[in-house]
Amino acid sequence: MNVENEILQLRKELEEHNYNYYVMDNPTISDFEYDAMIQRLIKLEEENPQFADENSPTKRVGGVALDEFEQVTHEVQMQSLGDVFSYDELMEFDQRVQQGLDGETPEYVVEMKIDGLSVSLEYQNGNFFRGSTRGDGNVGENITENLKTIKSIPLKLNCDTETLEVRGEVYMPRKSFEQVNAEKAAAGEALFANPRNAAAGSLRQLDSKVTAKRKLDVFVFNIQSISDDRVKTHTEGLDWLAGLGFKVSPMREVCANMDEAYLQILKIGEMRPQLPFDIDGAVVKVNSLEKREILGSTSKVPKWAIAYKFPAEQQETTVEDIIVQVGRTGVITPNAVLTPVKIAGSTVSRATLHNEDFIIAKDLKIGDRVLVQKAGDIIPEVVSVLKDKRNGSEKAYKMPTHCPACGEQLFREEGEAALRCVSTNCPAQRTRSVIHFASRDAMDIEGLGDAVVEQLIDEGLIKTSADLFYLTKEQLVPLERFAEKSAQNLIDAIEKAKQNPLDRLLCALGIRLIGSRSAKAIAAHFKNIDNLMNATAEEVSQINDVGEKMAESIVHYFAKGETKELIEKMKSAGVNMIAEERTVGGSLEGKTFVLTGTLPTLKRSDAQKIIEDNGGKVSGSVSKKTDFVVAGEEAGSKLDKAQSLGVAVITEEELLNMI
C-alpha cells in the first residue's frame, strides 16, 4: 500500500472508530490500538504534507492557539425558545399553535433540553468547514478548531447535499465535569460552577488543545438549512442526520397531541437525576416542517416550539452538623454539613444557612431531614425542614459567641442579621481577604487561586495582600504545585496587577459595603489614594452611588493603622494608586445602560468598561431612567422589565456601533 492510500485508509478507519465509540457508545478497538493508529497517521501526515486535510482525525487533538475569535453572521437566525413552567401554560401554547393552523392539531415532538452551549455546524459538499456559537442569535463566534476536537462531530459526511447547516448543543458529561474539577482543585484553580459553565468555558478557549482535553460532547437537534428538500418532518430530518453519523437528540418522541406530549415531559423529568448529562427541561416542537413555515416566528422565538422548564432539582438528605465560616469582612456564616447527595449533576455536601435568623425561621436542628436544591442550579440551599420525620434525636443549634478562628468575641450590630468578628488579627479574615484581593473582579491575578493563597500563608511567605508584591520566583519553585514555568507565570501575573487602576485596588481591598461600581465612582472623584484617605465621611457621601453608611465604612477602614501600613507597603512595591483617566464627553455621555444575559463576545466587565470609557454609566437595575438595556443570550427579568417600561433593548453589536 502506498503512503497516500495508507493515510486515506487510516483516516477512514479512525472516523469509524470515533463514530462507534462516541456516537454509538460501542467501541470496537482498545484505547491503546486507537492511540497507535493516531500516532501513525500523525507521523505520515508530518512526513507527507502534500496529503494534508483540514478534516483529518489528527485535527481533533487541537492546533495553534488563536489571538481572538472571528465573528460569524448566521445565515439562519439561531433563535432562542420561549419558556413555560406548568401544564396550563403548555396548553396555552397548544391553543396558539392550533389557532395559527386554523384549528388543526399538529403532531408534536418532545425532546430533552440539554443544558449546554448552542452551536451551528456548517458543511459544504459533505465537509465540515465552519462551526460557531449562537452569540446573540444573529452574530456568533467562529470556534471551528475547538469544535473539531469533539469526536462525536463528524468532519466528513457521506452525502450529496451541497450545503447543510445543523444546530446542536455542546455539553460536558457529568463524569467529565467531575474529572475536570478534580484536576482544577489539584492545581489550586477556581472550580467550574456546573457542567454548563464548564462547557461554555472550554468551548471558548483560544487554545484548542485545552478544549481537546475537556472531553466535550454534542447532541444535534435541528436542521437549520439544507440545499434540497429531502426531509418533510423534524423526526425524518433527525433520522437522516443520525444515518450520516451525527449524534442526535436522545429519546425523541412523536406525540399526537399536547396531552401526550405532557406525559412525555413528565417521563423525562423522572429520568433527570439518572442521566449522564444535565438537562433543564424538555422541548416541544411541531413535527411538520410545512406547518412550521405557516406558524412562523417572532423576532426572537419560533412560534412552533416551546421549552418546558423543570423546577430546580430537589433531594432529601440529613443535616449532620452545622459549622461556621469566617468571611473576609468578619461575617460569620453558618453552613449545613449534609449527607452527600447528587443534585443537578454534582455531589452536594454543604449548603449555606445564611445567618442566625434563617436557622430560627426554619426551626432547623442538627439531625433534621431536609430538602435541598441548587438556586439557579448552582448554589446549594436548604428549602425546607421535614419536621414530620423527626425522631427526637435532633439537637438545637446555637451560634457561637466567639470567633472560631481567633477566639475574639463576636458582635451583631443593631438592624443587621450578620454576626461579625471585628478583630484585625483574625487569621481567617486574612486568608479570605487575600483570596478576594486576587479574584477576577478585584486585582485579577491569574493563577492565584484559593489553594495557592492558603499554601503561601501556611508556608509563611505572605500575611497580607501587600506581601504578594514582594514574592520571588525562588521562593515559589520549591513549593508543591510549582515548577519553574508556573512560578514565573505567577510572578508575571502579580507584576501585571500592579498596573491596575485605583478602582480595582479599592474593590480588592475588601472595604465593607464597597463593590466594583461604587469603587469606580470613588476613584473617579478622588483621583488618587491619598485624597481618599484624607477625606471625611461627609465628603465621600457627596458622590453619586455612595451612601452615608458606605462613606462611614470607607473612613473607618482608612483610619486604621494596619490599613495605612498596608497601603504604604503596596506603594513601595510600585502598586498603582492613581485613578484611570476617563473619557469626558464620549459618545455615550449622559446615557445609562443595564447589562443582562451572556453577550456573544464581551465579558460583562469588558462591556461595562467600554461604556464607562465612552462617558456612559452602567446600572445594576432597570428603571425609567435607564436609556438602554444591552441583552445577550438567556437574558432574564431585566429584559422583561425593560420591555414593560418601554426601555430600548439593544444587542452587543448595536452597543459597539454607538461608540
Side-chain angles (χ1 to χ4, degrees), residues 45 48 66 85 131 134 172 191-192 218 268 308 317 320 323 337 353 417 423 433 534 580 584 595:
E45 288 181 344
N48 301 275
L66 303 173
F85 300 89
R134 176 182 176 271
M172 183 175 284
L191 304 185
F192 285 121
V218 68
I268 291 173
Y308 186 100
T317 186
E320 296 181 353
I323 59 174
V337 179
L353 299 177
S423 171
S433 176
N534 293 323
E580 187 175 28
V584 179
L595 303 168

Side-chain angles (χ1 to χ4, degrees), residues 57 116 129 173 178 180 200 209 211 229 252 271-272 279 367 390 392 434 478 531 543 551 570 574 616 656 659:
F129 82 96
E178 290 171 0
V180 168
K209 289 180 181 176
T211 308
D229 57 356
R252 54 196 185 276
M271 297 172 61
R272 188 182 182 192
I279 62 173
R390 285 178 173 169
V434 178
N531 291 341
I543 304 170
M570 288 188 190
L656 296 175
I659 299 167

Side-chain angles (χ1 to χ4, degrees), residues 592-596 621-623 626-632 635 638-643 647-651 654:
T592 299
F593 294 77
V594 171
L595 303 168
T596 182
S621 59
V622 180
S623 70
T626 305
D627 294 293
F628 299 98
V629 169
V630 185
K638 292 177 183 177
L639 176 60
D640 296 334
K641 188 170 183 181
Q643 291 169 337
V647 174
V649 177
I650 62 173
T651 64
E654 289 171 318

Side-chain angles (χ1 to χ4, degrees), residues 414-652:
E414 187 177 348
E416 283 198 0
L419 193 63
R420 196 181 300 273
C421 172
V422 296
S423 171
T424 57
N425 294 313
C426 181
Q429 291 184 61
R430 285 204 302 267
T431 301
R432 296 196 173 277
S433 176
V434 178
I435 289 171
H436 169 74
F437 186 85
S439 64
R440 180 180 295 177
D441 291 333
M443 293 298 269
D444 194 17
I445 303 177
E446 191 173 348
L448 195 58
D450 297 11
V452 174
V453 171
E454 290 170 3
Q455 182 182 22
L456 294 175
I457 290 174
D458 291 344
E459 293 289 339
L461 294 177
I462 63 170
K463 289 184 178 179
T464 69
S465 49
D467 296 329
L468 292 170
F469 299 104
Y470 293 87
L471 287 171
T472 65
K473 176 182 170 183
E474 289 70 30
Q475 289 175 309
L476 297 177
V477 170
L479 302 180
E480 188 182 351
R481 295 191 183 94
F482 284 99
E484 289 277 339
K485 186 175 181 181
S486 54
Q488 187 59 56
N489 287 344
L490 180 53
I491 295 299
D492 291 344
I494 293 171
E495 189 65 28
K496 180 182 176 184
K498 290 181 182 180
Q499 310 308 316
N500 282 333
L502 177 60
D503 62 276
R504 273 193 173 272
L505 176 62
L506 293 178
C507 180
L509 290 174
I511 307 167
R512 188 174 164 227
L513 304 179
I514 304 303
S516 58
R517 183 174 292 110
S518 52
K520 286 180 185 295
I522 293 163
H525 181 84
F526 286 103
K527 307 300 182 186
N528 62 60
I529 197 80
D530 294 319
N531 291 341
L532 177 59
M533 291 178 73
N534 293 323
T536 65
E538 186 179 359
E539 289 171 332
V540 178
S541 65
Q542 299 303 310
I543 304 170
N544 287 339
D545 296 331
V546 178
E548 287 184 14
K549 284 192 174 182
M550 294 166 71
E552 289 169 2
S553 176
I554 290 167
V555 171
H556 175 72
Y557 177 82
F558 284 112
K560 293 188 291 185
E562 59 265 30
T563 299
K564 294 175 181 177
E565 185 180 331
L566 185 81
I567 297 300
E568 283 304 316
K569 196 168 184 178
M570 288 188 190
K571 277 185 180 180
S572 298
V575 176
N576 178 49
M577 302 276 172
I578 299 173
E580 187 175 28
E581 286 294 327
R582 298 287 178 184
T583 302
V584 179
S587 58
L588 306 182
E589 180 73 22
K591 302 297 183 185
T592 299
F593 294 77
V594 171
L595 303 168
T596 182
T598 303
L599 301 179
T601 66
L602 295 173
K603 296 178 185 176
R604 287 265 193 102
S605 57
D606 294 335
Q608 180 171 336
K609 186 175 186 302
I610 288 171
I611 291 168
E612 291 172 345
D613 284 349
N614 286 274
K617 177 184 174 183
V618 177
S619 175
S621 59
V622 180
S623 70
K624 290 181 179 179
K625 294 181 180 179
T626 305
D627 294 293
F628 299 98
V629 169
V630 185
E633 187 176 356
E634 296 187 0
S637 58
K638 292 177 183 177
L639 176 60
D640 296 334
K641 188 170 183 181
Q643 291 169 337
S644 68
L645 293 175
V647 174
V649 177
I650 62 173
T651 64
E652 176 193 296

Side-chain angles (χ1 to χ4, degrees), residues 90-101:
L90 194 65
M91 288 303 162
E92 289 173 7
F93 168 75
D94 181 43
Q95 290 175 5
R96 292 196 299 272
V97 169
Q98 291 189 44
Q99 288 171 2
L101 297 175

Side-chain angles (χ1 to χ4, degrees), residues 187-203:
E189 299 174 359
L191 304 185
F192 285 121
N194 53 39
R196 186 190 187 282
N197 176 268
S202 301
L203 204 53

